[in-house]
Amino acid sequence: MGIFKRISRMFQADVHELLDKAENPISMLNQYMRELDEQVGKAKNALAQQLYLEKRQEQLVAETAAVVAKRTRQAELAVAKNEDGIAKLALQEKLQAETRLNLFTEQLEAMKQQTVKIHEQIDVLLEKYSELSYKRLVLVSRAHAAKVQQQTQAAIASFNADSAVKGFNRVEDYVQKLEAQAAAGAYFVPAPVVNLDLQEAVERELVKLKEAK
C-alpha cells in the first residue's frame, strides 16, 4: 500500500478506534511524515538531475547546430573555389550533423516534457505534503482531546458519589451534635457567687464618699 493510501486510511478512521488499535498513533503519523519527507527529497533530487540532463542536451543541440552551420559555410567556400571534393566532404559532415541535430532536438523536447511532468508531480506532492501536515496537526490535537476525555470519564466513573455524600452527612451530624452540646451547656452556667463581705465593704466606702462631700 502506498504512503498516501495508508495516511488517507488513518485520516478516515475514528480517533478513538485509532487510539485503541495503535500503541502509539502519534509516532505512526510522525513515521508517515518522515516517509513523505524522503519522497519529497527524492523528487527534488530527480528534478535536479533532470534539469542537469536537459541543460547538457541543450548544449549538445547548440554544439551540433554550430557544426551544421560551420560545415555549410565550408561547403559554400569550397564551391566558390571550385573545390568540389572538399565541398562534398563538408556537405557529408553537414548532413550527418543535421541527422544528429534532429535526434538531439527531439530528445531535448522529450526531456522538456518530462521536466514539466516532474514539476507537476512535485507540485502535487508538495500540496499533498502541506495538506497532510495540517491534517496531522488536527489529528494530533483530536487524539490528545480524546485521551483527556477518556481520562476524565475514567475519573468520574471511579468517583463514588454515594460514599462521599454519606461522609458529608456524618460530618454534618457530628457538627450538629457539637452545636447542640454547646447550646445545652449554656443553660447550666452557674450563677456568680455573691461575696457578702465585699458588698459590705463597698457600702462603707460609698458612705465615706458621700460624707466627704
Side-chain angles (χ1 to χ4, degrees):
M1 182 184 298
I3 179 67
F4 288 136
K5 290 184 179 179
R6 281 189 287 165
I7 296 178
S8 297
R9 177 169 295 183
M10 286 192 64
F11 289 146
Q12 293 170 0
D14 183 79
V15 176
H16 293 282
E17 180 181 357
L18 180 65
L19 291 172
D20 291 338
K21 292 185 177 181
E23 181 178 352
N24 193 336
I26 305 306
S27 295
M28 291 172 57
L29 287 179
N30 292 337
Q31 176 61 32
Y32 290 153
M33 295 309 298
R34 283 193 292 270
E35 292 181 17
L36 273 178
D37 284 333
E38 293 178 1
Q39 295 298 324
V40 171
K42 290 179 180 179
K44 289 181 178 179
N45 290 336
L47 177 60
Q49 180 67 14
Q50 180 67 19
L51 292 175
Y52 169 75
L53 294 176
E54 184 178 317
K55 191 68 176 179
R56 288 287 302 274
Q57 191 70 16
E58 288 177 347
Q59 293 176 351
L60 189 58
V61 168
E63 291 172 357
T64 306
V67 171
V68 171
K70 181 178 180 180
R71 295 295 181 261
T72 300
R73 289 194 302 271
Q74 289 176 342
E76 291 173 349
L77 290 174
V79 169
K81 295 179 180 180
N82 294 320
E83 297 176 347
D84 292 348
I86 296 177
K88 289 180 180 180
L89 182 60
L91 290 173
Q92 179 180 340
E93 292 183 359
K94 172 196 171 185
L95 293 175
Q96 292 174 343
E98 285 179 340
T99 300
R100 294 195 303 273
L101 179 60
N102 291 334
L103 176 61
F104 295 157
T105 301
E106 291 176 0
Q107 291 175 341
L108 178 59
E109 290 302 318
M111 285 183 176
K112 288 183 177 180
Q113 293 178 4
Q114 188 175 5
T115 300
V116 171
K117 290 182 179 180
I118 293 177
H119 271 294
E120 292 175 350
Q121 291 173 351
I122 290 179
D123 289 341
V124 171
L125 183 61
L126 292 177
E127 181 180 357
K128 180 62 66 175
Y129 181 86
S130 177
E131 176 187 351
L132 295 182
S133 295
Y134 172 75
K135 286 186 176 181
R136 172 189 172 277
L137 293 177
V138 173
L139 190 55
V140 168
S141 177
R142 290 175 59 193
H144 283 307
K147 199 68 176 179
V148 170
Q149 183 179 0
Q150 287 180 344
Q151 293 172 349
T152 302
Q153 291 173 347
I156 293 175
S158 63
F159 178 72
N160 191 338
D162 293 337
S163 176
V165 171
K166 291 179 180 179
F168 272 87
N169 289 338
R170 287 195 297 269
V171 173
E172 185 178 7
D173 290 341
Y174 176 75
V175 172
Q176 289 177 348
K177 288 179 181 179
L178 290 179
E179 292 173 343
Q181 291 173 359
Y187 289 104
F188 298 97
V189 175
V193 178
V194 178
N195 190 329
L196 296 178
D197 293 336
L198 180 60
Q199 290 295 326
E200 291 177 356
V202 170
E203 291 294 337
R204 288 195 296 271
E205 291 295 323
L206 179 60
V207 171
K208 290 179 181 180
L209 288 175
K210 289 182 178 181
E211 291 176 350
K213 291 176 62 178

